[in-house]
Amino acid sequence: MSRRSRLLLICPRFFGYHEAILSAAERLGIEATWIEDRGGWSWPYKIGLKVLPTLTRNMTQQPALDRIEALEKPQEIDHVLIVKGDGLSVATLQLLKSRLSNAKISLYLWDNAKNIPGIERLAAVCDRVLTFDPGDSHKSGWSFLPLFSRFSPRAPQLTENLPYDWSFIGSLHSDRHLVLRGLVKANPQLKYFVHCYSQNVMAGFLRSYRDPAAV
C-alpha cells in the first residue's frame, strides 16, 4: 500500500485560515502538518517585522526552529507550503530545505510584496512562488493565484428597513481608505456605514505618520 503524500504547512494563525487549508488537504487525501513561523503577535513584534525585518526574524526564530526539529520523518515530507512567511528568516528556510531534502517548497503570498519587507530574499530560496497580486506577478514573474475561499453559511436575506446601501467594517490596511473614498465619491446617493480600526494605538500612530490621508 502506497503512503499518502505529506504536506508541511507553514502559515500564520490568522482567522483560522490554517485550519481551512489543513482540512482541504485532508479532503484531497494529503497528510498535512502545520507549524507557525511567527515568533509572536505583540505589536512590538509586528512593528519589528516592518521596520527591522531581518533583525526581528533572526532574533525570534527559536520557536520555529524547535518545531522544525520536532518534525517526524522529515525525509518523507513531499511538499512545503509557506503562506506569507513574514516571520521566517532565510537561514531557517535554508535549514528547513536541507532537513526536508525530498520536499518541494512553495511560497504563497496573500499580501502585497511591499507589505512584507525582505520577502524577495525568502522567495529566492523557494522552488516556486505564487501571489494573489497580479501586479507582483507581472513585476517579479511569480505565478498568479487568486485567494482561496472557504464555505460559510449564508446569512438570512434581509429585504426590509435596511438603513444602509453598503457597509465596510475592517482594519485600516494598505489602500483601503482610498477604495472606500472612491466608493463614496462614485455613489454619493447611497447611504453607507464605514468603521475602520487599527490593531493597536501604536499601529494607528505609525499609520497616521506614514500616510496622513488614511486617518
Side-chain angles (χ1 to χ4, degrees):
M1 182 177 178
S2 61
R3 67 174 181 86
R4 292 199 296 167
S5 179
R6 288 186 64 193
L7 167 72
L8 173 63
L9 173 65
I10 301 177
C11 178
R13 192 192 312 264
F14 187 72
F15 291 115
Y17 288 166
H18 65 290
E19 296 174 348
I21 297 172
L22 290 173
S23 295
E26 289 293 338
R27 290 196 299 271
L28 293 171
I30 299 171
E31 182 182 342
T33 302
W34 167 68
I35 65 174
E36 189 171 23
D37 60 316
R38 283 194 165 199
W41 285 93
S42 65
W43 64 262
Y45 175 77
K46 291 180 179 180
I47 291 174
L49 287 178
K50 297 291 186 182
V51 180
L52 297 168
T54 301
L55 178 63
T56 301
R57 290 168 186 144
N58 290 338
M59 291 180 62
T60 58
Q61 282 301 278
Q62 196 56 51
L65 290 170
D66 291 341
R67 295 176 188 124
I68 292 170
E69 289 296 330
L71 289 171
E72 296 184 3
K73 298 180 180 180
Q75 69 279 3
E76 293 185 4
I77 294 177
D78 305 288
H79 307 282
V80 177
L81 174 59
I82 303 169
V83 179
K84 193 172 183 180
D86 61 342
L88 201 64
S89 74
V90 172
T92 299
L93 179 55
Q94 289 172 333
L95 174 65
L96 179 72
K97 197 165 187 177
S98 64
R99 182 166 169 76
L100 280 60
S101 56
N102 296 321
K104 295 294 184 182
I105 300 179
S106 299
L107 171 65
Y108 180 63
L109 303 179
W110 62 17
D111 203 349
N112 188 286
K114 69 180 181 181
N115 292 327
I116 318 174
I119 195 61
E120 290 82 5
R121 293 183 60 207
L122 200 70
V125 184
C126 296
D127 299 303
R128 189 184 183 195
V129 183
L130 307 97
T131 175
F132 89 118
D133 189 296
D136 285 343
S137 173
H138 177 75
K139 177 182 177 182
S140 301
W142 299 333
S143 299
F144 173 64
L145 182 66
L147 286 174
F148 69 92
S149 62
R150 56 183 174 179
F151 173 77
S152 297
R154 282 183 175 270
Q157 291 286 334
L158 301 177
T159 57
E160 297 180 1
N161 302 320
L162 297 178
Y164 306 109
D165 295 298
W166 65 272
S167 63
F168 173 83
I169 301 174
S171 61
L172 190 60
H173 177 66
S174 190
D175 63 348
R176 286 178 182 171
H177 62 290
L178 298 177
V179 174
L180 293 169
R181 288 180 180 178
L183 285 171
V184 172
K185 186 176 181 180
N187 304 278
Q189 76 282 4
L190 299 182
K191 297 179 181 179
Y192 63 91
F193 174 82
V194 171
H195 177 73
C196 295
Y197 59 88
S198 295
Q199 296 90 333
N200 51 67
V201 174
M202 183 58 68
F205 173 77
L206 290 174
R207 179 74 177 179
S208 65
Y209 175 76
R210 296 173 59 183
D211 188 2
V215 294

